[in-house]
Amino acid sequence: DAGITQSPRHKVTETGTPVTLRCHQTENHRYMYWYRQDPGHGLRLIHYSYGVKDTDKGEVSDGYSVSRSKTEDFLLTLESATSSQTSVYFCASRGTGNSPLHFGNGTRLTVT
Amino acid sequence: GQQLNQSPQSMFIQEGEDVSMNCTSSSIFNTWLWYKQDPGEGPVLLIALYKAGELTSNGRLTAQFGITRKDSFLNISASIPSDVGIYFCAGQEGSQGNLIFGKGTKLSVKP
């Protein structure tokens, strides 16, 4: 499986604080993604990147920003965390063409 | 927006039984993927389908890409306790499009 590492694995933070989640992949994949997973909603795309410094919004991007300064790293930032952003966040990556998507093991974020 | 309808939402079966789940879409996809997620982990790819009508197996798992390109099914034969988990389908438009995920089928297996 693709070497995708997410950090931290768990985080508890207070409402209004900034939070950054990190994703690191070792497969030299061009595309990287951030999803959130919530009961009843499945996996929803937050933001994605199609190359260094190239990012775009997904389905649920409000309240989130991303940055990709290197091929291997994709950061997700919550500028001011809210309780509605309590969720499990998954990073994923894939190569070009029809190569399939591979996921990290997730970050469980709790906003109190 | 695009939606994938995955059914059933949950299944509770006896060990040894066969399992079938499917996904349908209002959109045409060029790729169908099936993933399994265990508790506390990320989804893991089971089978990837790239061609309408394609039937692909991976051990006891078999998946098909529907002829209309709007549906796919996954079968698990002779289920075992470690098959427990949530199974997701995902469809992709074109080779660069983002994936659309179904909401998952939660499988429980009784020994």
Side-chain angles (χ1 to χ4, degrees):
Chain A
D1 213 348
I4 301 175
T5 305
Q6 291 185 232
S7 60
R9 290 297 313 276
H10 302 272
K11 185 170 182 67
V12 179
T13 192
E14 292 183 349
T15 297
T17 60
V19 177
T20 295
L21 308 184
R22 290 173 170 76
C23 180
H24 178 80
Q25 54 103 354
T26 58
E27 299 296 317
N28 200 35
H29 283 166
R30 176 180 174 184
Y31 297 90
M32 296 187 75
Y33 303 80
W34 277 106
Y35 289 88
R36 60 178 289 174
Q37 186 175 38
D38 304 287
H41 293 279
L43 286 155
R44 293 183 291 174
L45 182 64
I46 305 172
H47 280 281
Y48 64 100
S49 168
Y50 44 95
V52 173
K53 294 189 176 18
D54 290 324
T55 65
D56 207 345
K57 295 178 179 180
E59 177 188 357
V60 290
S61 59
D62 287 349
Y64 302 95
S65 62
V66 289
S67 66
R68 189 154 179 217
S69 59
K70 296 187 289 186
T71 298
E72 56 267 36
D73 294 322
F74 194 31
L75 305 182
L76 176 71
T77 297
L78 290 66
E79 302 292 345
S80 177
T82 67
S83 57
S84 65
Q85 292 176 312
T86 292
S87 186
V88 181
Y89 291 86
F90 287 99
C91 174
S93 72
R94 70 178 181 93
T96 56
N98 280 336
S99 59
L101 197 65
H102 295 276
F103 286 86
N105 277 330
T107 294
R108 182 174 292 277
L109 176 68
T110 302
V111 184
T112 62
Chain B
Q2 298 167 337
Q3 287 189 359
L4 280 187
N5 296 311
Q6 185 172 351
S7 65
Q9 283 188 324
S10 62
M11 302 180 74
F12 191 84
I13 63 169
Q14 198 78 28
E15 182 178 358
E17 289 183 355
D18 296 343
V19 172
S20 184
M21 59 191 79
N22 69 85
C23 277
T24 59
S25 169
S26 56
S27 303
I28 290 174
F29 290 123
N30 289 344
T31 302
W32 281 96
L33 304 171
W34 284 93
Y35 290 85
K36 179 181 182 245
Q37 186 177 23
D38 292 324
E41 298 183 9
V44 173
L45 181 68
L46 297 174
I47 293 179
L49 302 159
Y50 299 110
K51 200 169 164 183
E54 180 181 355
L55 184 72
T56 296
S57 293
N58 178 6
R60 293 177 296 105
L61 277 60
T62 302
Q64 184 158 30
F65 192 142
I67 288 290
T68 65
R69 295 164 63 194
K70 293 184 177 182
D71 63 327
S72 177
F73 72 75
L74 175 71
N75 287 343
I76 305 173
S77 62
S79 59
I80 59 178
S82 63
D83 289 335
V84 165
I86 302 177
Y87 292 80
F88 291 97
C89 64
Q92 181 182 21
E93 288 184 327
S95 62
Q96 308 301 326
N98 295 326
L99 289 181
I100 308 297
F101 282 87
K103 292 188 178 178
T105 295
K106 184 176 181 180
L107 179 63
S108 302
V109 179
K110 185 176 179 182

mmCIF file of all heavy atoms in Angstrom, chain B residues 53-75:
data_model
loop_
_atom_site.group_PDB
_atom_site.id
_atom_site.type_symbol
_atom_site.label_atom_id
_atom_site.label_comp_id
_atom_site.label_asym_id
_atom_site.label_seq_id
_atom_site.Cartn_x
_atom_site.Cartn_y
_atom_site.Cartn_z
ATOM 1 N N GLY B 53 -18.487 -3.778 -18.013
ATOM 2 C CA GLY B 53 -18.639 -5.217 -18.162
ATOM 3 C C GLY B 53 -17.544 -6.022 -17.482
ATOM 4 O O GLY B 53 -17.670 -7.236 -17.332
ATOM 5 N N GLU B 54 -16.501 -5.358 -17.038
ATOM 6 C CA GLU B 54 -15.369 -6.061 -16.422
ATOM 7 C C GLU B 54 -15.796 -6.779 -15.147
ATOM 8 O O GLU B 54 -16.505 -6.223 -14.323
ATOM 9 C CB GLU B 54 -14.258 -5.051 -16.120
ATOM 10 C CG GLU B 54 -13.010 -5.631 -15.481
ATOM 11 C CD GLU B 54 -11.967 -4.551 -15.184
ATOM 12 O OE1 GLU B 54 -12.185 -3.379 -15.570
ATOM 13 O OE2 GLU B 54 -10.940 -4.880 -14.570
ATOM 14 N N LEU B 55 -15.341 -8.013 -15.007
ATOM 15 C CA LEU B 55 -15.583 -8.813 -13.807
ATOM 16 C C LEU B 55 -14.214 -9.179 -13.253
ATOM 17 O O LEU B 55 -13.415 -9.800 -13.945
ATOM 18 C CB LEU B 55 -16.379 -10.066 -14.166
ATOM 19 C CG LEU B 55 -16.813 -10.970 -13.009
ATOM 20 C CD1 LEU B 55 -17.927 -10.299 -12.211
ATOM 21 C CD2 LEU B 55 -17.293 -12.315 -13.551
ATOM 22 N N THR B 56 -13.957 -8.783 -12.014
ATOM 23 C CA THR B 56 -12.629 -8.984 -11.432
ATOM 24 C C THR B 56 -12.752 -9.657 -10.077
ATOM 25 O O THR B 56 -13.627 -9.308 -9.292
ATOM 26 C CB THR B 56 -11.903 -7.638 -11.277
ATOM 27 O OG1 THR B 56 -11.692 -7.069 -12.573
ATOM 28 C CG2 THR B 56 -10.549 -7.807 -10.616
ATOM 29 N N SER B 57 -11.860 -10.600 -9.810
ATOM 30 C CA SER B 57 -11.864 -11.303 -8.526
ATOM 31 C C SER B 57 -10.581 -11.033 -7.762
ATOM 32 O O SER B 57 -9.519 -10.817 -8.353
ATOM 33 C CB SER B 57 -12.019 -12.805 -8.737
ATOM 34 O OG SER B 57 -13.290 -13.107 -9.263
ATOM 35 N N ASN B 58 -10.723 -11.076 -6.450
ATOM 36 C CA ASN B 58 -9.583 -10.947 -5.539
ATOM 37 C C ASN B 58 -9.859 -11.902 -4.383
ATOM 38 O O ASN B 58 -10.518 -11.556 -3.407
ATOM 39 C CB ASN B 58 -9.464 -9.506 -5.052
ATOM 40 C CG ASN B 58 -8.325 -9.327 -4.068
ATOM 41 O OD1 ASN B 58 -7.552 -10.262 -3.832
ATOM 42 N ND2 ASN B 58 -8.207 -8.147 -3.504
ATOM 43 N N GLY B 59 -9.387 -13.136 -4.534
ATOM 44 C CA GLY B 59 -9.696 -14.156 -3.528
ATOM 45 C C GLY B 59 -11.181 -14.469 -3.527
ATOM 46 O O GLY B 59 -11.769 -14.810 -4.555
ATOM 47 N N ARG B 60 -11.822 -14.304 -2.361
ATOM 48 C CA ARG B 60 -13.248 -14.589 -2.266
ATOM 49 C C ARG B 60 -14.125 -13.416 -2.706
ATOM 50 O O ARG B 60 -15.347 -13.485 -2.638
ATOM 51 C CB ARG B 60 -13.583 -14.960 -0.813
ATOM 52 C CG ARG B 60 -12.972 -16.270 -0.343
ATOM 53 C CD ARG B 60 -13.278 -16.544 1.146
ATOM 54 N NE ARG B 60 -12.677 -15.534 2.002
ATOM 55 C CZ ARG B 60 -13.348 -14.565 2.595
ATOM 56 N NH1 ARG B 60 -14.668 -14.470 2.459
ATOM 57 N NH2 ARG B 60 -12.725 -13.684 3.356
ATOM 58 N N LEU B 61 -13.499 -12.345 -3.126
ATOM 59 C CA LEU B 61 -14.231 -11.156 -3.548
ATOM 60 C C LEU B 61 -14.324 -11.107 -5.065
ATOM 61 O O LEU B 61 -13.351 -11.394 -5.763
ATOM 62 C CB LEU B 61 -13.512 -9.889 -3.071
ATOM 63 C CG LEU B 61 -13.741 -9.405 -1.651
ATOM 64 C CD1 LEU B 61 -13.327 -10.423 -0.624
ATOM 65 C CD2 LEU B 61 -13.007 -8.108 -1.414
ATOM 66 N N THR B 62 -15.504 -10.739 -5.548
ATOM 67 C CA THR B 62 -15.715 -10.537 -6.978
ATOM 68 C C THR B 62 -16.482 -9.245 -7.158
ATOM 69 O O THR B 62 -17.472 -8.999 -6.461
ATOM 70 C CB THR B 62 -16.523 -11.694 -7.592
ATOM 71 O OG1 THR B 62 -15.833 -12.920 -7.358
ATOM 72 C CG2 THR B 62 -16.706 -11.495 -9.085
ATOM 73 N N ALA B 63 -16.041 -8.436 -8.100
ATOM 74 C CA ALA B 63 -16.727 -7.180 -8.377
ATOM 75 C C ALA B 63 -16.930 -7.042 -9.870
ATOM 76 O O ALA B 63 -16.136 -7.549 -10.673
ATOM 77 C CB ALA B 63 -15.937 -5.995 -7.830
ATOM 78 N N GLN B 64 -18.001 -6.366 -10.243
ATOM 79 C CA GLN B 64 -18.290 -6.134 -11.652
ATOM 80 C C GLN B 64 -18.594 -4.675 -11.917
ATOM 81 O O GLN B 64 -19.245 -4.005 -11.104
ATOM 82 C CB GLN B 64 -19.453 -6.993 -12.135
ATOM 83 C CG GLN B 64 -19.702 -6.837 -13.647
ATOM 84 C CD GLN B 64 -20.435 -7.995 -14.270
ATOM 85 O OE1 GLN B 64 -21.228 -8.653 -13.616
ATOM 86 N NE2 GLN B 64 -20.170 -8.245 -15.540
ATOM 87 N N PHE B 65 -18.136 -4.218 -13.041
ATOM 88 C CA PHE B 65 -18.397 -2.878 -13.567
ATOM 89 C C PHE B 65 -19.592 -3.022 -14.492
ATOM 90 O O PHE B 65 -19.531 -3.710 -15.506
ATOM 91 C CB PHE B 65 -17.153 -2.440 -14.354
ATOM 92 C CG PHE B 65 -17.088 -0.994 -14.736
ATOM 93 C CD1 PHE B 65 -15.877 -0.321 -14.692
ATOM 94 C CD2 PHE B 65 -18.204 -0.298 -15.178
ATOM 95 C CE1 PHE B 65 -15.781 1.008 -15.074
ATOM 96 C CE2 PHE B 65 -18.115 1.028 -15.554
ATOM 97 C CZ PHE B 65 -16.899 1.679 -15.503
ATOM 98 N N GLY B 66 -20.716 -2.380 -14.166
ATOM 99 C CA GLY B 66 -21.933 -2.557 -14.944
ATOM 100 C C GLY B 66 -21.797 -2.079 -16.376
ATOM 101 O O GLY B 66 -21.054 -1.130 -16.669
ATOM 102 N N ILE B 67 -22.546 -2.719 -17.259
ATOM 103 C CA ILE B 67 -22.506 -2.405 -18.684
ATOM 104 C C ILE B 67 -22.913 -0.956 -18.945
ATOM 105 O O ILE B 67 -22.379 -0.297 -19.839
ATOM 106 C CB ILE B 67 -23.447 -3.348 -19.466
ATOM 107 C CG1 ILE B 67 -22.840 -4.743 -19.503
ATOM 108 C CG2 ILE B 67 -23.670 -2.849 -20.882
ATOM 109 C CD1 ILE B 67 -21.607 -4.849 -20.369
ATOM 110 N N THR B 68 -23.853 -0.454 -18.166
ATOM 111 C CA THR B 68 -24.315 0.928 -18.360
ATOM 112 C C THR B 68 -23.311 1.948 -17.824
ATOM 113 O O THR B 68 -23.462 3.145 -18.038
ATOM 114 C CB THR B 68 -25.652 1.174 -17.646
ATOM 115 O OG1 THR B 68 -25.449 1.056 -16.227
ATOM 116 C CG2 THR B 68 -26.713 0.190 -18.112
ATOM 117 N N ARG B 69 -22.305 1.477 -17.105
ATOM 118 C CA ARG B 69 -21.285 2.307 -16.440
ATOM 119 C C ARG B 69 -21.850 3.133 -15.296
ATOM 120 O O ARG B 69 -21.181 4.027 -14.787
ATOM 121 C CB ARG B 69 -20.561 3.196 -17.454
ATOM 122 C CG ARG B 69 -19.755 2.390 -18.459
ATOM 123 C CD ARG B 69 -19.361 3.199 -19.653
ATOM 124 N NE ARG B 69 -18.490 4.307 -19.292
ATOM 125 C CZ ARG B 69 -18.211 5.325 -20.089
ATOM 126 N NH1 ARG B 69 -18.726 5.390 -21.299
ATOM 127 N NH2 ARG B 69 -17.410 6.294 -19.700
ATOM 128 N N LYS B 70 -23.086 2.809 -14.890
ATOM 129 C CA LYS B 70 -23.709 3.539 -13.791
ATOM 130 C C LYS B 70 -23.873 2.677 -12.546
ATOM 131 O O LYS B 70 -24.509 3.107 -11.579
ATOM 132 C CB LYS B 70 -25.079 4.052 -14.219
ATOM 133 C CG LYS B 70 -25.021 5.125 -15.297
ATOM 134 C CD LYS B 70 -26.419 5.631 -15.591
ATOM 135 C CE LYS B 70 -26.380 6.756 -16.612
ATOM 136 N NZ LYS B 70 -27.743 7.288 -16.877
ATOM 137 N N ASP B 71 -23.322 1.477 -12.557
ATOM 138 C CA ASP B 71 -23.469 0.644 -11.378
ATOM 139 C C ASP B 71 -22.340 -0.367 -11.257
ATOM 140 O O ASP B 71 -21.615 -0.647 -12.222
ATOM 141 C CB ASP B 71 -24.822 -0.066 -11.391
ATOM 142 C CG ASP B 71 -24.964 -1.010 -12.558
ATOM 143 O OD1 ASP B 71 -24.407 -0.723 -13.642
ATOM 144 O OD2 ASP B 71 -25.624 -2.047 -12.400
ATOM 145 N N SER B 72 -22.201 -0.886 -10.046
ATOM 146 C CA SER B 72 -21.195 -1.896 -9.770
ATOM 147 C C SER B 72 -21.664 -2.722 -8.586
ATOM 148 O O SER B 72 -22.405 -2.226 -7.730
ATOM 149 C CB SER B 72 -19.851 -1.231 -9.439
ATOM 150 O OG SER B 72 -18.873 -2.197 -9.103
ATOM 151 N N PHE B 73 -21.263 -3.982 -8.550
ATOM 152 C CA PHE B 73 -21.575 -4.789 -7.373
ATOM 153 C C PHE B 73 -20.317 -5.467 -6.862
ATOM 154 O O PHE B 73 -19.344 -5.647 -7.588
ATOM 155 C CB PHE B 73 -22.678 -5.809 -7.663
ATOM 156 C CG PHE B 73 -22.254 -6.962 -8.550
ATOM 157 C CD1 PHE B 73 -21.457 -7.992 -8.056
ATOM 158 C CD2 PHE B 73 -22.658 -7.019 -9.862
ATOM 159 C CE1 PHE B 73 -21.069 -9.051 -8.864
ATOM 160 C CE2 PHE B 73 -22.273 -8.071 -10.679
ATOM 161 C CZ PHE B 73 -21.477 -9.092 -10.182
ATOM 162 N N LEU B 74 -20.392 -5.827 -5.572
ATOM 163 C CA LEU B 74 -19.323 -6.573 -4.928
ATOM 164 C C LEU B 74 -19.938 -7.791 -4.264
ATOM 165 O O LEU B 74 -20.917 -7.664 -3.523
ATOM 166 C CB LEU B 74 -18.606 -5.718 -3.876
ATOM 167 C CG LEU B 74 -17.539 -6.433 -3.037
ATOM 168 C CD1 LEU B 74 -16.316 -6.743 -3.887
ATOM 169 C CD2 LEU B 74 -17.141 -5.583 -1.829
ATOM 170 N N ASN B 75 -19.384 -8.956 -4.537
ATOM 171 C CA ASN B 75 -19.807 -10.181 -3.872
ATOM 172 C C ASN B 75 -18.670 -10.720 -3.025
ATOM 173 O O ASN B 75 -17.507 -10.683 -3.445
ATOM 174 C CB ASN B 75 -20.204 -11.247 -4.902
ATOM 175 C CG ASN B 75 -21.528 -10.938 -5.560
ATOM 176 O OD1 ASN B 75 -22.312 -10.134 -5.061
ATOM 177 N ND2 ASN B 75 -21.777 -11.555 -6.696
#
